[in-house]
Amino acid sequence: MSRQDRQRRISRISFLSLLLLGISMAACTQPPEEEWTPLFNGHDLSGWTVKIAGNEVGEDPWGTFRVEDGLLTVGYENYDEFGNRFGHLFFQEPLSHYHLRVEYRIVGTQIPGAPGWAFKNNGVMFHAQSPESMLKDQSFPLSLEAQLLGGDGTAERPTANVCTPGTLIEMNGVRVEDHCSPAAAPTIHGEEWVTLDLIVLGDSLILHIMDGDTVLAYSRPTVGGASVEEFGEASGEEGRPLSHGYIAIQSESHPFQFRQILLKSLRPAGH
């Protein structure tokens, strides 16, 4: 799908999406702008739990996730090769209705032995199962993923896409069968800081926003899709609405850094 086609698709849904967002947010309690809550404190990984494939919850002998110069850093200096050790760093609290803001940048080079598709690839997982419910060798949590991608300096490779490990979504009222759906977003070729906003309203509406522009909108996430059995008991009944869960940052073989991870509650009034 060309960028022009993606932009046309976004334009068709943007009015309805923003209308639904306005209706939903009118019923929400919203803190003032200054009341963003930092999920990452800039000093340590308090409030976060690591889960790396092949290891028990909390084990990260390579220091994959760490804080360097006030930045949440995902690095592989202590790896000989990647060895399919896909990892995730989970925030401690399950969430349902919120505005999430992530500032990230892509740095360094990909570790040897990693798949080509993981080049300059990371993600913000949300509505995810808990780290404790993951199988020891499980590579990815059942979740939705806001995919963070970078380019090779030449080819178009937009960031802010959505991927669906063990899940399904709808766009324009149509169930999406593809594992990943592209956003009408730019390609990030360098190491500049990028800001991505996610508006997550349970299972009713999800928006990916960059520089004030809605680059992707979808709704009705449910459990389902290919290989759902890989996600253990957390998958539950196929077709179950996915309205809440954990936020997690990935480690997929390419170094990334995160400067801010901010949250603003959009909980419905009275909840």
Side-chain angles (χ1 to χ4, degrees):
M1 181 183 294
S2 70
R3 179 177 176 82
Q4 186 177 19
D5 290 337
R6 289 198 300 273
Q7 288 174 327
R8 281 198 293 263
R9 185 185 67 183
I10 293 297
S11 67
R12 287 196 301 270
I13 63 177
S14 60
F15 176 76
L16 176 59
S17 298
L18 294 174
L19 177 62
L20 289 172
L21 177 62
I23 294 171
S24 299
M25 292 181 69
C28 293
T29 55
Q30 299 177 63
E33 192 67 25
E34 67 271 19
E35 290 191 14
W36 286 99
T37 299
L39 303 189
F40 165 57
N41 64 23
H43 303 290
D44 56 36
L45 299 181
S46 298
W48 295 82
T49 299
V50 67
K51 174 64 180 77
I52 296 176
N55 291 264
E56 301 293 344
V57 174
E59 293 182 350
D60 184 6
W62 310 279
T64 313
F65 296 97
R66 60 199 187 257
V67 179
E68 292 183 351
D69 299 323
L71 305 176
L72 197 167
T73 299
V74 184
Y76 306 91
E77 294 84 353
N78 296 321
Y79 286 62
D80 293 327
E81 63 175 7
F82 187 57
N84 290 327
R85 285 173 282 189
F86 295 99
H88 296 81
L89 184 69
F90 291 80
F91 183 63
Q92 63 188 355
E93 180 184 352
L95 301 162
S96 63
H97 291 66
Y98 52 89
H99 181 174
L100 183 72
R101 176 167 294 169
V102 176
E103 293 186 29
Y104 72 92
R105 68 178 178 183
I106 306 166
V107 296
T109 58
Q110 187 182 28
I111 183 174
W117 56 260
F119 167 75
K120 290 190 174 182
N121 193 339
N122 201 305
V124 177
M125 323 300 279
F126 59 101
H127 283 359
Q129 67 184 101
S130 69
E132 293 80 9
S133 69
M134 292 180 67
L135 305 175
K136 183 176 181 180
D137 295 326
Q138 186 175 329
S139 294
F140 305 96
L142 186 147
S143 60
L144 300 170
E145 176 190 353
Q147 190 181 48
L148 312 179
L149 290 182
D152 61 6
T154 303
E156 183 178 325
R157 195 179 186 225
T159 191
N161 310 310
V162 61
C163 297
T164 53
T167 57
L168 294 168
I169 59 174
E170 287 187 8
M171 290 184 179
N172 297 320
V174 177
R175 183 63 70 185
V176 177
E177 299 295 336
D178 294 338
H179 174 57
C180 293
S181 298
T187 298
I188 310 300
H189 290 293
E191 295 190 356
E192 64 265 34
W193 287 103
V194 182
T195 300
L196 172 66
D197 287 270
L198 300 177
I199 301 292
V200 180
L201 301 176
D203 61 352
S204 62
L205 179 64
I206 298 161
L207 303 179
H208 296 195
I209 301 170
M210 298 189 69
D211 298 324
D213 293 330
T214 299
V215 298
L216 198 61
Y218 51 97
S219 61
R220 299 180 185 274
T222 60
V223 173
S227 303
V228 71
E229 68 277 0
E230 297 177 5
F231 301 92
E233 295 182 0
S235 61
E237 182 180 356
E238 190 154 346
R240 172 174 60 85
L242 199 63
S243 60
H244 63 281
Y246 292 83
I247 293 169
I249 300 297
Q250 286 191 312
S251 59
E252 285 196 308
S253 77
H254 202 113
F256 270 67
Q257 291 184 318
F258 296 83
R259 182 162 61 184
Q260 288 195 103
I261 304 176
L262 303 173
L263 184 82
K264 184 183 295 186
S265 176
L266 298 177
R267 287 191 302 267
H271 289 70

